[in-house]
Amino acid sequence: MDSPLARRLAVARGDEPADLVVRGGRVFSVFTREWLETDVAVVDGWIAGLGEYEGRETLDASGRFVVPGFIDAHMHLESTKLLPDEFARLVLPLGTTAAVLDPHELANVLGTDGVHWLLDACADLPLDFYFMASSSIPASPFESPRRPLLLGDLESLLRRRRVLGVAEMMNFPGVIAGDADELAKIALAGSSHIDGHAPGVHGKELNAYAAAGIRSDHEALTAAEGRERLRAGMWLLIREASMARNLHALLPLVKEFGADWIAFCTDDRDPEDIAENGHINGMIREAVAAGVAPEDAILLASHNPAQWHRLWNLGAIAPGYRADLVVLPDLERFEPDVVLKAGKRPVEIPRPEVPEWVKHSVRIRRIEAGDFRIPWRGDGTKARVIGLVPDQVVTEHLVEEPTTADGAAVADAARDLAKVAVVERHLGTGRIGLGFVRGSGLRRGALASTVAHDAHNIVVVGVDDDDMTLAVQRLAELGGGIVAIDGGEVRAELPLVVAGLLADAPLADVIEQSLACNDAARELGWSGATPFLTLAFLALSVIPSLKITDRGLVDVDRFELVPLEAG
Amino acid sequence: MDSPLARRLAVARGDEPADLVVRGGRVFSVFTREWLETDVAVVDGWIAGLGEYEGRETLDASGRFVVPGFIDAHMHLESTKLLPDEFARLVLPLGTTAAVLDPHELANVLGTDGVHWLLDACADLPLDFYFMASSSIPASPFESPRRPLLLGDLESLLRRRRVLGVAEMMNFPGVIAGDADELAKIALAGSSHIDGHAPGVHGKELNAYAAAGIRSDHEALTAAEGRERLRAGMWLLIREASMARNLHALLPLVKEFGADWIAFCTDDRDPEDIAENGHINGMIREAVAAGVAPEDAILLASHNPAQWHRLWNLGAIAPGYRADLVVLPDLERFEPDVVLKAGKRPVEIPRPEVPEWVKHSVRIRRIEAGDFRIPWRGDGTKARVIGLVPDQVVTEHLVEEPTTADGAAVADAARDLAKVAVVERHLGTGRIGLGFVRGSGLRRGALASTVAHDAHNIVVVGVDDDDMTLAVQRLAELGGGIVAIDGGEVRAELPLVVAGLLADAPLADVIEQSLACNDAARELGWSGATPFLTLAFLALSVIPSLKITDRGLVDVDRFELVPLEAG
């Protein structure tokens, strides 16, 4: 055979044996929603034909269901804390064979260099990683990534083969208002495919957002919001993230309108969550348990994300499609017996090289306890305080008189007032934002993390300045991660050496260390929601109400920096 | 406003008045299949938003239905015999606002130059003409277009903005067999979007055709064939052409599987047919009359063809889509009250310049009656004869002893045996193929046409060599067209001066002249189906069984040239 395509056609015609024939299964047609009793002939990783075929190998799928591989329509790999190969090891057995990533955490830390590296690192893995070009770095003018991503950066990313379009346009107020910078991103050649991010946007503002050419949203929380997005011509990406679970609220729309223009995504999933609840297959299972037809649920998880992202050769079992096949014993549990990626069972998944330069992202100026001192007059002056809201990424904007000692405002465990600081960690500027947080329950020590959306500077919460200092120093030594410090000692830590975001370790280690850190935090008194996820969102300056960055406190509702001293 | 997009967003937000508000109608959402009671705000030709809006102008759609403009998924403009502006005048009032053309007739005559000219001529019309790059010129090695279209020609076409992909791959046996030439067309950069043409292809051969990446077919004749194509992952383009009406046979599939992956097209429509039965709107009307839900029928006619052809901004009424709107008084007749193209009622449709060079395509060597003489031994030798089949483009392969006179085989009206010739008319080579045809009923004179698929040489049928000579000469004088000659005089003619295919005249004249030619043919005794359409397909060497080109008779079943003298 002179070419792979010629060979594929020869197999399709029946003139050559297939590499593999999947035989005896009930094969799902995404086009007719039928279960076809047919063989699937595979050659060179592609489906050659459905019908009766002979092959060098046979996979007996008798009595089982054969469906297309699952595709995550929108996710941030960084939330899994795993390198892409380890992520593949985790989710391939769950049926996920492709994912569309917005690598904006990595891009905040490592710029486009980091994205190009990750693209290359994913290239040869037995899971298709597609990217969207991160559109909103920094997330706001109050955040300090290593550098902003400008229009030219986006252009360079969009030229890459596996970059499909522009990632979620998080500056939705800017888009709606017609800001020139945002419209320039939309106008970029190749950016006719754009993901949306429009929390709480309605009516004419949603019209404006859609009129800009943004045709998806994964921030709908209610069926009413989802319905409005569908009517506006936007794909409804149903998100089931660890911290934002929208599946059950939106499933009624599938029953109301059918599966068209709806797809599944996970957005941000912790590794523990995937290990416990599955990935896209878990969303299918829950949808079916909630009464959605299995055929619809499978469409939402396979062909629909492929259609939204224009991945023309993925998401279906038909001639000319990639042989990404999931064999299911039933249509209830959605736990695959066999997963084929490009016609093969992924056995040995290689570990791509992790170069030195992505492992040395933490650059801080020498730090000491005095850096956390907050001089304060003891005359009744009040301070802005970040109020934690259990299980939410929003915070309250509180005003209280801080406890003082030796001319400084100090943490006071008795009043549940901890100190919080954000230390710039990309350029070693020494810039530190300082403030207070209520609702952590922390009684001793300090917790710190280099995972702190979106700029991923170091966020540290503590009741002891020395422990806070040590926490930051320890993260600098590790090259990033999360850490719990008490009485001058490391109680637990999870190194995240790649950009301070991803672990260069197996899943089991990551989960074990992560749980150890959580346990250590609880021992220090932490009583709020998942401690390090809470820390990670304290610095995200685009979610209400009061946040903190290395530049100081941000009143998100007024969208401006505000002093610690209240009014 | 600094940019059109900024202005669109301002209108969407309600900060600026729209150019036009369509008010009071029931607006069809292709995404939810709902009829929304909402305004449609239009600015600069785009839809800015649905909701309550104010505008400089208002269109009252009270009590009526507002649906997206109709799109013809696959058609050959040349069959309408109209220049694109005249075609637009004809079909815009019928609701057609976009069409995807395969200009392969023109390309046979004028090469890529002709296609580039037509692309440019269509550019400013108030109907969107998109093209597919004609993939099969010549249609077979037995035909003589002016020149073949080679891979580089296709590449040049695919680089044009409004060229969407590769047009119907008519050499389906070549594709299925894996011919290197055909696979090279498929491999062309940008040709990931390819229309199919797979009459009677089934089973593993259909798998091979689909596995090559060809994802549509408009040649399905039965529900079984349509079902097979859908299961193979191919878009089912339901064709209702003047000579090939498949609508009613395929509509059951819409009821069986819903509207997904199905779209309407007209392929080849005579001008008379459109004038009498409508265009895409006629297909909707017939579908609804046959029991298809109006919502499904509208989808098949609007958003679905847009989706197949990846025309992301067409086929829906939602923010950011082109304001191509059809206002219907009812959901039965589908005769629009108002049609808006890019937000405007098309009033004055300009006539694009028709350059001299496209009007001088008929180049023949001097011809005389002797050129049609067929020397023949009168010893009982038999001849191959083309047997016409009423209302079909297929023919029978007959064998008969011809009538002889003066050492030549001659036409014999008494035996219903007319002479047929194909005269090469692109390069003036003087090449003539000669033969006989049974079943025309012709008793006198001659009929000739420069419309003769696919190479469009001159086909002439007659019972008198002098009249045949005059017919060919007359077509050369006209620069192309169709003509009926009797007793040395022109009885009727339709000049088709553009490439010998299209009239540089208004629709009414074309229809009048066309009918006059048909009448004249009847007067000459023609008793078969539409005379000049019959002529047009006598030379198409890829449709069984016996055809004729300038190179001689073609046994299509054996796919080879055969002599007139039978075995």
Side-chain angles (χ1 to χ4, degrees):
Chain A
M1 286 293 119
D2 36 6
S3 80
L5 183 51
R7 185 167 128 88
R8 193 186 313 161
L9 301 192
V11 171
R13 293 192 305 270
D15 292 345
E16 297 270 332
D19 292 342
L20 172 73
V21 172
V22 180
R23 184 162 287 161
R26 302 181 66 196
V27 177
F28 184 59
S29 167
V30 299
F31 305 101
T32 62
R33 293 169 41 107
E34 297 171 297
W35 294 95
L36 306 172
E37 301 197 350
T38 179
D39 297 346
V40 181
V42 174
V43 62
D44 293 334
W46 297 85
I47 296 166
L50 309 187
E52 287 186 24
Y53 282 97
E54 296 300 322
R56 270 179 282 273
E57 281 185 57
T58 302
L59 172 64
D60 181 8
S62 300
R64 293 182 290 173
F65 301 87
V66 186
V67 304
F70 308 138
I71 302 171
D72 193 331
H74 169 71
M75 62 166 279
H76 305 283
L77 178 68
E78 299 92 328
S79 296
T80 71
K81 295 191 173 63
L82 301 175
L83 282 167
D85 58 303
E86 190 64 12
F87 174 74
R89 283 182 205 101
L90 175 57
V91 302
L92 272 168
L94 307 175
T96 302
T97 53
V100 180
L101 310 185
D102 171 8
H104 75 214
E105 321 300 355
L106 196 75
N108 267 272
V109 177
L110 298 177
T112 51
D113 283 348
V115 179
H116 289 296
W117 162 70
L118 189 64
L119 261 169
D120 294 340
C122 293
D124 297 323
L125 295 175
L127 188 150
D128 292 329
F129 290 93
Y130 293 93
F131 284 44
M132 300 289 272
S134 304
S135 64
S136 308
I137 296 171
S140 85
F142 317 123
E143 297 194 16
S144 308
R146 194 169 73 85
R147 69 183 197 76
L149 251 60
L150 305 179
L151 207 58
D153 297 306
L154 261 68
E155 191 177 354
S156 86
L157 292 172
L158 288 166
R159 296 291 168 94
R160 294 291 303 262
R161 274 186 307 108
R162 279 180 293 117
V163 176
L164 305 174
V166 175
E168 50 177 329
M169 294 287 285
M170 293 196 290
N171 184 2
F172 58 88
V175 171
I176 292 164
D179 284 1
D181 284 353
E182 299 304 323
L183 299 197
K185 292 172 191 168
I186 288 169
L188 260 191
S191 67
S192 64
H193 181 57
I194 311 174
D195 262 325
H197 165 108
V201 178
H202 296 290
K204 289 180 177 170
E205 299 206 327
L206 189 69
N207 280 344
Y209 196 66
I214 299 172
R215 298 260 176 92
S216 80
D217 186 33
H218 56 266
E219 296 287 342
L221 305 181
T222 66
E225 285 187 341
R227 193 180 293 110
E228 194 180 359
R229 275 143 185 78
L230 288 170
R231 287 173 178 167
M234 301 174 82
W235 275 82
L236 178 65
L237 305 186
I238 297 181
R239 170 182 58 186
E240 189 77 348
S242 297
M243 295 274 282
R245 300 192 175 272
N246 310 135
L247 180 69
H248 285 284
L250 299 176
L251 284 179
L253 295 173
V254 180
K255 298 179 192 169
E256 187 175 350
F257 298 124
D260 287 353
W261 321 115
I262 308 179
F264 286 153
C265 72
T266 64
D267 203 0
D268 291 287
R269 280 260 176 137
D270 312 334
E272 301 92 323
D273 187 3
I274 302 178
E276 274 173 34
N277 303 310
H279 193 234
I280 296 294
N281 69 320
M283 294 185 70
I284 305 174
R285 176 174 57 240
E286 286 203 36
V288 171
V292 167
E295 294 78 14
D296 280 333
I298 293 164
L299 279 168
L300 297 172
S302 58
H303 199 233
N304 286 13
Q307 288 287 303
W308 160 236
H309 285 298
R310 308 177 186 175
L311 298 167
W312 305 122
N313 297 323
L314 298 186
I317 305 179
Y321 280 77
R322 278 307 251 182
D324 298 346
L325 303 175
V326 175
V327 181
L328 297 165
D330 58 61
L331 296 179
E332 290 171 14
R333 294 180 299 123
F334 292 94
E335 291 173 5
D337 281 347
V338 180
V339 176
L340 299 178
K341 171 62 204 165
K344 292 198 177 121
R345 297 177 196 236
V347 191
E348 290 275 304
I349 297 178
R351 154 75 29 121
E353 190 205 353
V354 180
E356 280 300 304
W357 70 270
V358 307
K359 294 199 233 175
H360 297 273
S361 68
V362 181
R363 184 177 171 198
I364 57 171
R365 219 163 62 181
R366 185 173 165 277
I367 200 154
E368 53 195 31
D371 293 325
F372 297 107
R373 180 178 159 87
I374 304 174
W376 202 260
R377 300 188 306 267
D379 58 358
T381 308
K382 293 192 170 172
R384 292 182 166 85
V385 172
I386 299 171
L388 299 181
V389 181
D391 289 315
Q392 301 273 358
V393 293
V394 298
T395 61
E396 288 180 301
H397 185 153
L398 308 175
V399 174
E400 309 204 18
E401 187 181 343
T403 304
T404 56
D406 298 329
V410 296
D412 186 345
R415 293 175 59 199
D416 195 10
L417 276 176
K419 198 180 273 185
V420 58
V422 174
V423 180
E424 190 279 321
R425 64 108 164 166
H426 301 301
L427 306 175
T429 60
R431 195 163 48 237
I432 301 182
L434 294 169
F436 291 95
V437 63
R438 170 180 287 287
S440 73
L442 209 61
R443 292 189 312 267
R444 303 197 312 270
L447 309 175
S449 175
T450 51
V451 178
H453 298 279
D454 269 348
H456 300 292
N457 287 301
I458 294 173
V459 65
V460 54
V461 173
V463 293
D464 181 284
D465 289 357
D466 288 324
D467 283 345
M468 289 175 76
T469 306
L470 180 55
V472 172
Q473 282 170 342
R474 182 60 188 157
L475 290 183
E477 286 167 20
L478 288 174
I482 65 176
V483 65
I485 303 287
D486 186 25
E489 281 180 24
V490 175
R491 295 295 171 182
E493 65 188 17
L494 166 61
L496 298 169
V497 299
V498 176
L501 299 171
L502 305 177
D504 189 10
L507 170 71
D509 293 357
V510 173
I511 292 180
E512 185 186 328
Q513 291 168 327
S514 178
L515 295 177
C517 288
N518 287 348
D519 289 346
R522 302 273 172 213
E523 281 175 27
L524 300 183
W526 186 279
S527 59
T530 332
F532 293 95
L533 272 176
T534 304
L535 258 64
F537 285 98
L538 282 178
L540 184 54
S541 63
V542 292
I543 291 186
S545 289
L546 187 64
K547 295 293 178 105
I548 185 167
T549 76
D550 57 306
R551 294 171 192 275
L553 290 169
V554 181
D555 180 331
V556 180
D557 301 318
R558 290 166 58 194
F559 211 57
E560 61 183 27
L561 288 170
V562 289
L564 180 58
E565 192 175 312
Chain B
M1 285 296 116
D2 36 8
S3 80
L5 182 51
R7 185 167 129 86
R8 193 187 314 162
L9 301 192
V11 171
R13 293 193 304 270
D15 292 345
E16 298 270 331
D19 292 344
L20 171 73
V21 172
V22 180
R23 185 163 285 161
R26 302 180 68 196
V27 178
F28 184 59
S29 167
V30 298
F31 304 102
T32 62
R33 292 170 42 108
E34 297 170 298
W35 294 94
L36 306 172
E37 301 197 350
T38 179
D39 298 345
V40 181
V42 174
V43 62
D44 294 332
W46 296 86
I47 297 167
L50 308 187
E52 287 186 23
Y53 282 97
E54 296 301 322
R56 271 180 282 271
E57 282 185 57
T58 302
L59 172 65
D60 181 9
S62 300
R64 293 181 290 174
F65 301 87
V66 186
V67 305
F70 308 138
I71 302 171
D72 193 331
H74 169 71
M75 60 167 280
H76 305 282
L77 178 69
E78 299 91 329
S79 296
T80 70
K81 295 189 173 64
L82 301 175
L83 282 166
D85 58 303
E86 190 63 13
F87 174 74
R89 283 183 205 102
L90 175 58
V91 303
L92 272 167
L94 306 175
T96 303
T97 54
V100 180
L101 310 185
D102 171 7
H104 75 217
E105 322 300 355
L106 196 74
N108 267 273
V109 178
L110 299 177
T112 53
D113 283 350
V115 180
H116 288 296
W117 162 71
L118 189 65
L119 262 169
D120 293 340
C122 294
D124 297 323
L125 296 175
L127 189 150
D128 292 328
F129 290 93
Y130 293 93
F131 285 44
M132 300 289 273
S134 305
S135 64
S136 307
I137 297 173
S140 84
F142 318 122
E143 297 195 17
S144 308
R146 194 169 74 86
R147 69 183 196 80
L149 252 59
L150 305 179
L151 208 59
D153 298 305
L154 260 69
E155 191 177 356
S156 85
L157 292 172
L158 289 166
R159 296 291 168 94
R160 294 292 302 264
R161 275 187 305 109
R162 280 180 292 117
V163 177
L164 305 174
V166 175
E168 49 177 330
M169 295 286 285
M170 294 195 292
N171 184 1
F172 57 89
V175 171
I176 292 164
D179 282 2
D181 284 353
E182 299 305 321
L183 299 197
K185 293 172 191 168
I186 288 168
L188 260 190
S191 67
S192 65
H193 180 56
I194 311 174
D195 262 325
H197 165 109
V201 177
H202 296 289
K204 289 180 177 171
E205 299 206 327
L206 190 68
N207 280 345
Y209 196 65
I214 299 171
R215 297 259 177 93
S216 81
D217 187 32
H218 56 265
E219 297 287 343
L221 304 181
T222 65
E225 284 188 342
R227 192 180 294 110
E228 193 179 0
R229 275 142 186 79
L230 289 170
R231 287 173 178 166
M234 301 175 83
W235 274 82
L236 178 66
L237 305 186
I238 297 181
R239 170 181 59 185
E240 188 77 349
S242 298
M243 295 274 283
R245 300 191 176 273
N246 310 135
L247 181 69
H248 285 283
L250 300 177
L251 284 179
L253 295 173
V254 180
K255 298 179 192 170
E256 186 174 352
F257 297 123
D260 288 353
W261 322 114
I262 308 179
F264 285 154
C265 71
T266 64
D267 203 0
D268 291 288
R269 279 259 177 140
D270 313 334
E272 302 91 323
D273 187 2
I274 302 177
E276 274 173 36
N277 303 311
H279 193 233
I280 296 295
N281 69 321
M283 295 185 70
I284 305 175
R285 177 175 55 241
E286 286 203 37
V288 171
V292 168
E295 295 77 14
D296 281 334
I298 294 165
L299 279 168
L300 297 173
S302 58
H303 199 234
N304 286 14
Q307 287 287 304
W308 160 236
H309 286 298
R310 308 177 186 175
L311 298 167
W312 305 121
N313 298 322
L314 298 186
I317 305 179
Y321 279 78
R322 277 309 251 183
D324 298 348
L325 303 175
V326 175
V327 181
L328 296 166
D330 58 60
L331 296 180
E332 290 172 13
R333 293 179 301 125
F334 293 93
E335 292 173 5
D337 281 347
V338 181
V339 176
L340 299 178
K341 171 62 205 167
K344 292 196 177 123
R345 295 176 198 238
V347 191
E348 290 275 304
I349 297 178
R351 152 78 28 122
E353 189 205 354
V354 180
E356 280 300 304
W357 70 269
V358 307
K359 294 199 235 176
H360 298 273
S361 68
V362 181
R363 185 178 172 198
I364 58 172
R365 218 162 65 180
R366 184 171 166 280
I367 201 154
E368 53 195 32
D371 292 326
F372 297 106
R373 180 180 159 86
I374 304 175
W376 202 260
R377 299 188 307 266
D379 58 357
T381 308
K382 292 192 172 175
R384 293 183 165 82
V385 172
I386 300 171
L388 299 182
V389 181
D391 289 314
Q392 301 271 0
V393 293
V394 299
T395 62
E396 289 181 299
H397 186 153
L398 309 175
V399 173
E400 309 204 18
E401 186 180 344
T403 303
T404 54
D406 298 330
V410 297
D412 186 345
R415 293 176 58 200
D416 195 10
L417 275 176
K419 198 180 274 185
V420 58
V422 174
V423 181
E424 190 279 321
R425 63 111 164 164
H426 301 301
L427 306 175
T429 59
R431 195 165 46 237
I432 300 182
L434 293 168
F436 291 95
V437 63
R438 169 179 288 288
S440 72
L442 208 62
R443 291 189 311 268
R444 305 196 310 271
L447 308 175
S449 173
T450 51
V451 178
H453 298 280
D454 268 347
H456 300 290
N457 287 300
I458 294 173
V459 66
V460 54
V461 173
V463 292
D464 181 284
D465 288 357
D466 289 325
D467 283 345
M468 289 175 76
T469 306
L470 179 57
V472 172
Q473 283 170 341
R474 181 60 188 159
L475 290 183
E477 285 166 20
L478 290 174
I482 65 176
V483 66
I485 303 287
D486 186 23
E489 282 180 24
V490 174
R491 295 295 171 183
E493 65 188 15
L494 165 63
L496 298 169
V497 299
V498 176
L501 299 171
L502 305 177
D504 188 10
L507 170 71
D509 294 357
V510 173
I511 291 180
E512 188 188 325
Q513 293 168 328
S514 177
L515 295 177
C517 287
N518 286 349
D519 290 346
R522 301 275 172 212
E523 280 174 28
L524 300 184
W526 187 279
S527 59
T530 333
F532 293 95
L533 272 176
T534 303
L535 258 64
F537 286 97
L538 282 178
L540 183 54
S541 62
V542 292
I543 292 188
S545 288
L546 187 64
K547 295 293 177 104
I548 183 167
T549 75
D550 58 305
R551 295 171 191 275
L553 291 168
V554 181
D555 181 331
V556 180
D557 302 317
R558 290 166 58 195
F559 211 56
E560 62 183 26
L561 288 170
V562 289
L564 180 58
E565 193 175 312

